[in-house]
Amino acid sequence: MEKEQFYYDNKIVKMFLIATILWGVVGMLVGLLVAFLFIFPNYMEGISWLSFGRLRPLHTNAVIFAFVGNSIFMGIYYSMQRLLKTRMFSDTLSKIHFWGWQLIIVAAAITLPLGLTSSKEYAELEWPIDIAITVIWVVMGINMIGTILKRRQRHIYVAIWFYLATLITVAVLHIFNNLELPVSAFKSYSIYAGVQDALVQWWYGHNAVAFFLTTPVLGLMYYFVPKVANRPVYSYRLSIIHFWSLIFIYIWAGPHHLLYTALPEWAQNLGTVFSIMLIFPSWGGMINGLLTLRGAWDKVRENPVLKFFVVAITGYGMSTFEGPMLSFKSLNAIGHYTDWIIGHVHIGALAWNGFMAAGIIYWLVEKLWKTELFSKKLANVHFWLGTLGILFYALPLYVAGFTQAAMWKQFNPDGTLVYGNFLETVTQIMPMYMMRAFGGTLYLAGFLLLAYNVIRTAQAGSTVEDELAEAAPLKKITARRVAGEGFHTWLERRTILFSFLVVLAVAIGGAVEIIPLLTVDSNIPKITSVKPYTPLELEGRDIYIREGCNNCHSQMIRPFRSEVERYGEYSKAGEFVYDFPFLWGSKRTGPDVHRIGGKYNDNWHFNHMLDPRSTSPGSIMPQYPWLITDDLDISNTANKINAMVMLGVPYSQFELDKSVYLLKNQALAIEKNLRQDPEYVKNYGNAHIENKEIVALIAYLQRLGTDIKAETAEN
């Protein structure tokens, strides 16, 4: 059959490659700034937009969506064209995808430091940016599906199965988790509250790791590892089992992030069972990747790209063993809310995602610029710096996590806590935080070597952006299975049916877990004493969210003796029915605050925010001086109350009509309380601060956990 000539589009791959390196440097640099804030909490000198609570989500978004996201698109645009023997469906859509994604990243880099956040982990961006993400994802989807439909290769290769699963599942996750009610241009409230919001968020959060950081990278592994090693994939049959079992099981595992919380027991148990099952498909993929190198291990010694791939796949195996182990309740009770989880996450991010991206970049730069890599020696130095960086980052955090868990749970013979002051656990692990910062520095230094190596390679190469190729056109055959054609081989050429089965596989788990929680009232027992937040408390809660306080402080006391002794009565599902969004947190750098209401007076909170070390010697919490000087913006208070009513919060007509009046009255009462302290009067004289942000934050903190106390008093 006569072959057709066509051109692969290498320009779009180059664009994503450059963006990957640029945002990789930015994301890792911000991560390093955050790591040093643990050691020097005030080195940003009170600059609000460089505080920990605002930089931390910037770091996670920059690494996940900017660095890893661009690296995924780089690999997809290169491999899809070659696997399907065709140019991308539309050059215009490719460019819209690229520039749209970069604009979304820039929007995130501007809004997150400004405190414009929904607070939902890995989904912090506000509603206009969420809409933009949806539009760009659809653009990418049209381009991908159009390319598949015009292919010259009958059967779609395993890598493209994973790309399709990513396209479909991320769309579903993003839309359902980001259903929110806008209040203003950059402020919204989640339509879910409390326990329901927690489940939907971690259904998304766990599967953002699964279907953004894992499945597309597995697709890249299935393409680039065989290419670089010049070996076929170890087992086609294993890849089928790996794919379908992974996408079906992964979607159920989100609740393991909420073990021992107020989530109903049945949902926790479902998450545990499926999380433990995940080890089998995950390790099936790891084995398939590593055994693809059989007969090619001698190349690993010489080829830096294969070195990166081997450590990346090993890191994937370690993370996907550790994740299911942490789903056992006995281990989760130790690890959750500690630095162990941060170490676990970074094994995946630095080894699996970071090293896969680095290996692909080193291989692609030679192909795209038609020249040899500038320096293999520098690439090897990068490999060893990165590997040492991972070890110096993760291992100290494992030690820190075990130290935290042991100290939090230790009792004296008389039943009191040995380490009653939470800060004793913080000061104990400071050396671990220093080692973590050192490890991050090594990792970033290695990546900077990659950037230099790529620049020098590109300078020496050519700028050919359209690569000539040829392939025979695809002849139409019957939709039915032909003689000798296996079922899955037949399925691979039925793209629409294949995609439908992917949708079905990922929809079942989410539906079974989420629909009952949203529709069956008995999952969230009512507590009659729980009342809506006052207008001032609601404004204070929004400031708490803006400053990212939930990055360090949880609002979920688990039913452990040690936690009840330390913090107070354990948290109940019914306490969170008016929490849009939930704020349970996932890491305790500071103590839990769910029962902090009434524990300290207003002056303590004022001084604590102004200078944490004045109330808590040894604290690594940064100062928040702008809360004392910045006026509270109440221009949207009425809109916020109205939005709450639309979400089902039972405010009275009087509260709706007089929201600003009620806010000012409560603020005046707090200001009056502050004046009971002679030191406050001495420092602030006749100045009135009832219109400052600090007053709203104090109101919110003093409310936390008091509803359950009222219920106890009534009974």
Side-chain angles (χ1 to χ4, degrees), residues 337-339 342 404 433 551-554 585-589:
Y337 287 128
T338 74
D339 282 300
I342 311 301
Q404 287 167 312
Y433 287 154
N551 285 301
C552 289
H553 297 280
S554 59
S586 57
K587 165 76 171 68
R588 286 177 181 153
T589 306

Side-chain angles (χ1 to χ4, degrees), residues 347-532:
I347 288 287
L350 299 176
W352 169 234
N353 295 128
F355 269 28
M356 278 299 295
I360 292 168
I361 288 169
Y362 279 126
W363 190 77
L364 278 181
V365 72
E366 295 187 336
K367 304 295 179 185
L368 296 175
W369 276 275
K370 310 297 180 190
T371 187
E372 292 289 314
L373 185 66
F374 168 69
S375 173
K376 282 192 177 181
K377 188 174 287 186
L378 277 182
N380 279 311
V381 173
H382 171 198
F383 170 78
W384 288 111
L385 278 175
T387 302
L388 286 171
I390 293 167
L391 295 174
F392 271 102
Y393 189 104
L395 294 180
L397 289 188
Y398 287 132
V399 174
F402 291 129
T403 303
Q404 287 167 312
M407 293 180 75
W408 291 348
K409 294 175 182 292
Q410 200 164 336
F411 281 87
N412 289 309
D414 64 356
T416 58
L417 290 165
V418 174
Y419 303 101
N421 185 345
F422 187 92
L423 276 170
E424 292 177 282
T425 67
V426 176
T427 53
Q428 187 70 28
I429 59 178
M430 287 305 295
M432 304 302 110
Y433 287 154
M434 294 174 188
M435 291 175 72
R436 184 255 297 271
F438 175 66
T441 303
L442 288 178
Y443 195 90
L444 175 59
F447 198 79
L448 289 171
L449 288 181
L450 175 143
Y452 175 74
N453 216 348
V454 168
I455 291 168
R456 292 299 301 270
T457 305
Q459 287 173 343
S462 62
T463 55
V464 178
E465 290 171 345
D466 292 307
E467 183 180 331
L468 182 64
E470 60 179 21
L474 196 61
K475 284 177 65 178
K476 282 193 174 183
I477 62 171
T478 177
R480 297 177 182 176
R481 288 168 63 182
V482 297
E485 186 177 32
F487 172 76
H488 204 275
T489 311
W490 168 78
L491 184 62
E492 287 165 32
R493 60 181 175 87
R494 302 295 306 280
T495 310
I496 295 172
L497 177 60
F498 188 96
S499 300
F500 172 76
L501 292 176
V502 169
V503 172
L504 195 63
V506 300
I508 292 171
V512 169
E513 289 179 344
I514 292 171
I515 291 173
L517 201 66
L518 296 180
T519 57
V520 180
D521 288 343
S522 61
N523 280 307
I524 305 169
K526 299 291 187 293
I527 300 175
T528 55
S529 62
V530 174
K531 299 294 188 291

Side-chain angles (χ1 to χ4, degrees), residues 260-261 557-561 563-564 570-571:
Y260 292 111
T261 67
I557 302 168
R558 297 173 295 176
F560 298 147
R561 178 190 169 202
E563 295 203 9
V564 171
Y570 69 89
S571 303

